[in-house]
Amino acid sequence: TLDGVARTLDAETVLVCDANGPTAIAGIMGGQVSEVSEATTSVLLEVANWNGTNILRTSRQLGLRSEASSRFEKQLHPELAMRGQRIASRLMVELCDATLVPGTIDVSAGEPDPTRLTLRSSRVSGLLGMEIGLEDQAAYLERLGFGVELGDGALDVTVPPDRHYDVTREVDLVEEVGRIHGLDGNLPSTLPSTSGQVGGLSREQRLRRRAEDTMRDLGFDEVVGWSFTDPGEPARLRIPPDDGRGQGVVLANPLSEEQSVMRTTLLGSLLDAARGNLARDIDHVALFESGRVYLNQPPTGRNVQPEPTIRPIDPLAGQFVGERGAAFAEPHRVGALEVGASVPASWRGTAIDSDFFTLKGVLEGLAGQLGTAVALEASPEPFLHPGRAARIGIDGSPGGWIGEIHPLVCRAWDIESAVGFEVDLAALVAAAGAGEEVFADVSPFPSVRQDLAVVVPDEVTAARVAAAVEAAAGDLLASIDVFDLYTGEQVGEGSKSLALRLELAAFDRTLAEDEVATLRAAIEAGLGEIGGSIRG
């Protein structure tokens, strides 16, 4: 073909041939033998009409889309072939100084009968909500090339060949009349009739908006990326093919090769947007996206049930009405990416680049606004920097990832360094307490606040330490906060020191000194079970 590719065809593919063999794939692309060169002196102009269904099938099978195929696959009227030939011949004579050889060979399989429709004046006013005179309707349609005959309160309309497959019903004629008459300034403003019901947002919709507002309040600009991507994006993100995100859903009829696969993560579109901003000398980029990803697996979520029973739908988890047994999941995610200095340089100090802990604070702020909490556990991701990556836990279940983007991934997008996260919005909303707050009594007795320095092995996470303290302290622990980390000579190699701030309280009494001492001993014993101890 003209694009320099050898094509393998089947028996259903229609070809244009001459005495020497094939010269073109009908309705899609010409062959190289038909290409015009500097030595061409004679041109045989062949204009044909094709079966739209066959052209669409062949285009999909060959993975070859062209200007011609996009038109012929919609089905054109045979009369347009003669129009096209007349226009093309005239342009070649006027612009290329060609000499027209008289004579035309016309081989026709017959044309479809003209479409004749009746346009009722009452139907026009009923659909558009405004009165348009019958004479005006006729004038509008005649200007568009329609044949019109006036009747009693109606028009008998003959559809021209170029609108044969487009205008097939009376409502299509109403649309043409309204379009030419003009809607702006002519269409009266009326309120729709309702049954008295008042619309509103569901809890999931309100919380999604709250999450998006929170990200904007935290200084992140919202982007809307393409849901389509190219097949090479997982490789640039270093995602292996056997990973669930390594094989995207392939489109049957893509717009282009670069948009032929559905994305499996928001990270690619965020990196694309960041690269575009950095290329225009933007020093600091903080972006977020709230959107869906598309996975080659059945939907999962808190409302999924295998049996065909009536159940609530969880759209955030990728479940939709009428999609029982769906092969693909479309979960809603919130992703964030930051590049550059999160704190700019000033007279008070130098700039501070965004890092893992910068985005950790953003993630915790997002979760806090939804009335929930997240737990982080070290976990590798192919597109994250080794040792600077964590898995996000929400209510005891995996809910996403956070970390510094791998240098090789940054290099593929021409970015020096970046940090980001992606969290499952359905899991956040399911665990959220926002909108469902309940009254919590306040103890009339003073609480006891203590700071503890706990030494644990490096591999023990802060979340595990906090869980051990909560289990040991029981109901008397009102709050716990990890506020510092120390590594160095004083704790020895392979260990770290975590600073914990505890608040102890009871609702029926002031805690006595011996009770606090007993509680502290129980906490120390609980820490010992995970290899930790309290520093003196």
Side-chain angles (χ1 to χ4, degrees):
T1 46
L2 288 172
D3 58 358
V5 178
R7 307 284 179 179
T8 301
L9 313 175
D10 64 4
E12 298 297 322
T13 303
V14 180
L15 299 175
V16 178
C17 305
D18 60 14
N20 297 320
T23 62
I25 301 177
I28 299 178
M29 185 175 288
Q32 282 190 336
V33 295
S34 67
E35 189 170 16
V36 175
S37 68
E38 294 291 340
T40 301
T41 58
S42 299
V43 175
L44 175 65
L45 190 61
E46 176 259 348
V47 183
N49 189 44
W50 311 105
N51 179 280
T53 304
N54 178 272
I55 299 301
L56 176 61
R57 172 200 167 277
T58 302
S59 176
R60 285 182 173 179
Q61 184 184 49
L62 298 178
L64 176 61
R65 291 188 60 81
S66 64
E67 293 285 342
S69 68
S70 65
R71 286 162 172 75
F72 283 115
E73 68 186 22
K74 297 176 178 64
Q75 192 60 60
L76 301 177
H77 195 282
E79 170 63 23
L80 301 181
M82 296 302 295
R83 292 190 191 181
Q85 187 181 61
R86 287 194 295 269
I87 294 174
S89 299
R90 179 176 177 178
L91 291 175
M92 293 173 71
V93 170
E94 293 181 353
L95 302 180
C96 304
D97 198 26
T99 300
L100 181 64
V101 178
T104 299
I105 300 174
D106 182 13
V107 178
S108 173
E111 297 183 3
D113 295 331
T115 300
R116 292 181 171 84
L117 302 172
T118 299
L119 179 61
R120 296 165 292 172
S121 184
S122 59
R123 185 63 169 161
V124 174
S125 59
L127 285 179
L128 296 181
M130 58 182 175
E131 295 293 336
I132 302 176
L134 202 62
E135 292 78 9
D136 290 335
Q137 297 178 31
Y140 295 152
L141 293 174
E142 287 175 345
R143 285 161 55 184
L144 295 173
F146 290 85
V148 180
E149 293 181 6
L150 286 171
D152 184 15
L155 300 177
D156 294 324
V157 181
T158 302
V159 180
D162 54 316
R163 305 299 300 277
H164 181 80
Y165 293 99
D166 178 30
V167 178
T168 59
R169 303 172 299 167
E170 183 183 20
V171 68
D172 297 330
L173 294 175
V174 174
E175 180 183 5
E176 297 300 317
V177 169
R179 180 171 64 89
I180 301 303
H181 182 74
L183 302 179
D184 293 340
N186 295 323
L187 191 65
S189 299
T190 57
L191 292 175
S193 60
T194 65
S195 60
Q197 296 180 345
V198 179
L201 299 176
S202 65
R203 179 172 181 269
E204 286 76 11
Q205 291 171 325
R206 293 197 304 272
L207 292 182
R208 187 189 74 187
R209 292 191 179 187
R210 178 182 291 196
E212 294 165 353
D213 291 342
T214 298
M215 292 301 298
R216 285 190 292 268
D217 293 342
L218 291 171
F220 284 72
D221 297 317
E222 184 173 12
V223 300
V224 180
W226 286 102
S227 295
F228 312 128
T229 186
D230 67 279
E233 182 178 277
R236 294 197 302 277
L237 292 173
R238 305 180 73 250
I239 301 177
D242 57 352
D243 189 297
R245 299 159 297 183
Q247 297 288 339
V249 179
V250 180
L251 298 178
N253 191 22
L255 296 174
S256 65
E257 180 67 17
E258 290 73 24
Q259 295 182 335
S260 60
V261 177
M262 305 298 287
R263 66 183 179 185
T264 59
T265 175
L266 301 179
L267 180 57
S269 59
L270 288 170
L271 288 169
D272 289 339
R275 176 174 57 187
N277 281 272
L278 294 171
R280 288 159 179 81
D281 298 325
I282 305 298
D283 297 328
H284 173 245
V285 176
L287 306 173
F288 86 94
E289 181 171 3
S290 173
R292 297 193 179 278
V293 299
Y294 305 86
L295 306 177
N296 259 317
Q297 61 187 41
T300 59
R302 57 194 174 99
N303 292 329
V304 171
Q305 297 180 12
E307 62 275 7
T309 59
I310 298 176
R311 59 171 175 79
I313 299 298
D314 190 1
L316 294 180
Q319 305 162 24
F320 301 96
V321 175
E323 284 198 349
R324 302 196 186 282
F328 308 115
E330 304 176 30
H332 198 112
R333 304 277 175 80
V334 174
L337 187 77
E338 189 167 12
V339 182
S342 58
V343 178
S346 68
W347 62 271
R348 303 182 65 180
T350 58
I352 301 177
D353 288 337
S354 56
D355 58 9
F356 177 92
F357 296 100
T358 305
L359 264 290
K360 178 176 179 287
V362 173
L363 176 63
E364 291 173 343
L366 170 62
Q369 285 296 313
L370 296 179
T372 186
V374 294
L376 304 184
E377 181 180 352
S379 178
E381 287 284 359
F383 43 79
L384 297 182
H385 195 299
R388 301 177 189 176
R391 180 175 59 202
I392 300 172
I394 303 174
D395 205 15
S397 300
W401 56 264
I402 182 173
E404 297 182 18
I405 308 303
H406 197 286
L408 294 179
V409 175
C410 288
R411 186 183 304 172
W413 268 269
D414 299 322
I415 296 175
E416 185 174 345
S417 63
V419 59
F421 69 76
E422 186 172 317
V423 61
D424 191 340
L425 187 58
L428 271 180
V429 169
E436 297 181 346
E437 292 84 357
V438 295
F439 170 76
D441 200 1
V442 178
S443 173
F445 301 94
S447 60
V448 177
R449 292 179 172 84
Q450 288 196 351
D451 290 349
L452 299 180
V454 179
V455 179
V456 293
D458 282 338
E459 63 272 12
V460 178
T461 63
R464 190 177 176 190
V465 172
V469 173
E470 291 173 353
D475 295 337
L476 295 180
L477 180 64
S479 66
I480 179 173
D481 182 34
V482 181
F483 66 90
D484 195 19
L485 168 67
Y486 169 77
T487 57
E489 296 179 359
Q490 297 184 24
V491 296
E493 186 176 356
S495 298
K496 60 185 177 184
S497 175
L498 297 175
L500 310 180
R501 180 160 296 150
L502 310 181
E503 182 181 3
L504 309 173
F507 282 92
D508 57 351
R509 67 189 185 282
T510 299
L511 294 179
E513 186 176 346
D514 57 342
E515 286 184 287
V516 175
T518 302
L519 201 58
R520 183 184 176 103
I523 292 174
E524 188 168 7
L527 292 172
E529 295 178 1
I530 61 172
S533 61
I534 298 178
R535 291 177 64 188

